[in-house]
Amino acid sequence: MELLLAPLPSILPRPHQFPPQPASRPSHGRIQEPIMAFAQAPPLALPFQEARSSFQAPRHSTRPPAQEPRIHPRPGPSLRSEPRMVSDTKLITMHSCAERLVDARKVFDGMARRDLLTWSAMIGAYAIRGMYSDVIALAVTMVREGVIPDRFLITRILQACAYTEELKLGMAMHSLAIRKGFTERVRDVPVGNSLLAMYVKCGELGRARRVFGKMVQRDLGTWNSMIFGCCRSGEWDEARRLLADMRHEGTEPGVVTWNTLISSYARSGDLDMALQCFIRMRLAGIEPNGMTIASAISACASLRLLSQGMELHCHAIKVGSVNNVLSGNSLVDMYAKCGEIVAAKRIFNDIPEKDIFSWNSMVAGYAQAGYCGKAYELFCKMESLGVRRNVITWNIMISGYIRNGDDERAFELFQMMESCGVKRDTASWNILIAGSVHNGHFDRALRIFRQMQALLVRPDYITILSIIPAFANLVAFWKVREIHACIFHYNLEMDAKIANALINAYSKSGDLAGACAVFDRHSSRNIITWNCIILAHLLHGSPSEALDRFCQMKEEGVLPDNTTLTAVIKAYGLKGKVSEAEEIFYNMEHDYNIAPDVDHYAAMVDILGRSGRLEEAYELIDEMPLIPSLAVWEALLTAATIHGNVRLANLAARELVSIEPSDPRIQRLIYNLQDLAGKSVDVPHMIVSNKGRELEEVDSCSVEIENKVYLLSTGDNFVLEGTVADLKSIMVQIGISMLNTSSGTPDVEEEKEELSAMHCEKLAIALAISNSPPFRSIRIIKNVRMCRHCHTFAKLVSEKYERQILIKDSNCLHKFKGGKCSCEDYW
């Protein structure tokens, strides 16, 4: 991506920029009092731009705090006190300009009388220093004493309300501005802009729109505030429309406008768009400042675009912002994420005045690169240099250790945090949960999740999205319900990502009804939501319901994507409707502007294979413009094996071995093919020689009984003898009929069962029947493909004992009920 970094002349003056918003929102006591005072205040005889107010009240009130303020108009100011008040006001201004704010406040507090000029001087001194909580406190006291602000002071107070998100006082100021006519003339644009900024910062975009629509004139600041509000609310289309409207009305976007768009896109994760905005800014002739460059570099960092990041680095050098701490921090982050840790360290060393973000970026760079030792050295060095480590610093170190497999050290740092005066936040817990899931410690992740709630730490959507995938399986369905209860308690269910994850988790845990319930309650469905529910129906062997959902999706105006069309083709295949699947496949580029990919080809090969049209399936593979994937050849091998086509099975086996020779699942398919067709299947000798040993290592399963999970392996004959005897009698009764109806000879798993003991899924079924109530479904996970004997056995047991049996093997989910399986004996 060409970033157009040649120097361009600046064509617009630099707009006003406000200081950053404070991290926390202060409380300012009884805001209701000044609101009531505005309602009770009598009309003024003098215009508001005059220096003195006609209304004064004693500075110290003797009324009880709970009573409403009583505003008493006073006679005109005393001639003797007038010079003293003017001189004190000048003294306040002098102290303020000399950075003696404490002295200015002492003079202010010592004055017997204070007019509008005095209040303006003191409030202005706080406002220009960004001390907005003090501005709010003074404004409340000022109105309580009967002094009504003028146009200029309303603007100052509104600015403070914006940065402290003090909506009630801001609305009171808005009401006062309307009453006094401060929003009706061209010169009132600053008041309107301040109102816009206040409502936007307080999250009241609707009110901001109404103010925007009533303004008689708009300047660059007006448009910037509205664009910022739309970006903050994620209303990108409206932000782009406003950008076009402002140009149409003759106002060209300035550097603040572009900074708003670039930084907002970057924060929302739309990094490509952020870089596109940067390019458009350069084409418009706007010279980027340090903020712009830093935002663009951050986008490059997240996208791992080293070359574009280096171009921006060169531009930062040209415009002299490379030593700016904001640009420097972004460069450190960019080089570290792109793997250039030496360059990151050099930039870090060159930053003259490092802040906490500089240190955190460098520590994160080392940790992400796997150099946890160097990261920890820097971590310790911060404390020795007097740089206080914040919670982000600790989280970075914990994440680095757990990502590199040192869980013990990560938990040690987690325990040390609070003893070192750093309070853990939700992200600290999220790191441990996500790290435990990533390292395969699912139960530990759940224990951490429970401890987090016990300590009243509120989980967020990242917490939920981190832990749900760990329990999206058959033997953990009750844990999914526990997590769902937590989601419901914290009112997180309406989050689209969480709803999608819940649908997926319920589906994979065998609870299709739970998945449908979440889907039906969720109002803001996107394409991922629809894909989740369609795939859920497919997983549970319900192709008709999947196609119904697809039709419903189209009726609601949602366009399908690659995943949707793959699922639809598979659904038609399960129903045996080959012509309908072919119509979707061959017309998808025309109808939906989606070119078929390898997943679509694999689905078509599976459909043709199911219907016995093996030669057509092979021709489709031979003519496809893409390199066939593992799934494509596996679909052909499965079909050829089931239909007894040794030639195509041999061909598919060779291709599979060439792609992934060490995959145990593929080895089992090939072994079974050899047992079926004898020596005609030519497989590399190194794989054949491992036959017995490989199968012994992977044949195991898990079964859930009364909220406990038991792990079994083939040959573990420890279940109750009575149950084993009962089930063996069933096996004797069905053995002859099974062998008579099977095609070919028993597969390799059946041979091994004759030589050793019952397969682990048979043991799991026996254990579940003996130790669980008859109304409870039996849930089993097996990490290899079920053999035909076990498949038939499970069907007959489900019929005899009237139990639903769910078995997830390496190929699909088998739902046995009433003597039938959802896979329709094709797996």
Side-chain angles (χ1 to χ4, degrees), residues 781-800:
I781 298 176
K782 186 175 183 182
N783 59 347
V784 298
R785 186 184 68 90
M786 287 186 73
C787 71
R788 289 171 294 177
H789 190 287
C790 291
H791 193 268
T792 304
F793 172 76
K795 287 197 298 182
L796 294 174
V797 170
S798 72
E799 183 177 21
K800 178 177 176 60

Side-chain angles (χ1 to χ4, degrees), residues 407-427:
D407 293 8
E408 182 179 350
R409 185 66 178 138
F411 278 89
E412 182 182 341
L413 283 177
F414 181 80
Q415 296 295 337
M416 289 172 55
M417 286 179 70
E418 302 221 341
S419 62
C420 293
V422 179
K423 184 177 176 60
R424 305 183 193 108
D425 61 4
T426 302

Side-chain angles (χ1 to χ4, degrees), residues 428-448:
S428 311
W429 294 89
N430 290 349
I431 291 167
L432 288 187
I433 292 171
S436 297
V437 171
H438 180 265
N439 294 338
H441 304 301
F442 299 154
D443 288 333
R444 186 177 72 187
L446 185 60
R447 288 196 301 271
I448 297 169

Side-chain angles (χ1 to χ4, degrees), residues 449-509:
F449 179 69
R450 289 168 175 166
Q451 183 184 3
M452 176 184 184
Q453 295 177 79
L455 294 175
L456 303 180
V457 180
R458 180 185 175 89
D460 57 14
Y461 79 97
I462 297 176
T463 319
I464 303 301
L465 295 178
S466 298
I467 197 167
I468 279 187
F471 303 107
N473 59 70
L474 287 180
V475 298
F477 78 103
W478 60 275
K479 296 178 182 176
V480 174
R481 292 182 179 180
E482 177 186 338
I483 296 170
H484 190 182
C486 173
I487 293 170
F488 187 79
H489 175 73
Y490 289 107
N491 197 28
L492 295 171
E493 192 177 22
M494 289 300 104
D495 184 280
K497 292 180 181 178
I498 290 179
N500 296 343
L502 266 180
I503 294 170
N504 184 57
Y506 270 123
S507 170
K508 291 183 177 179
S509 66

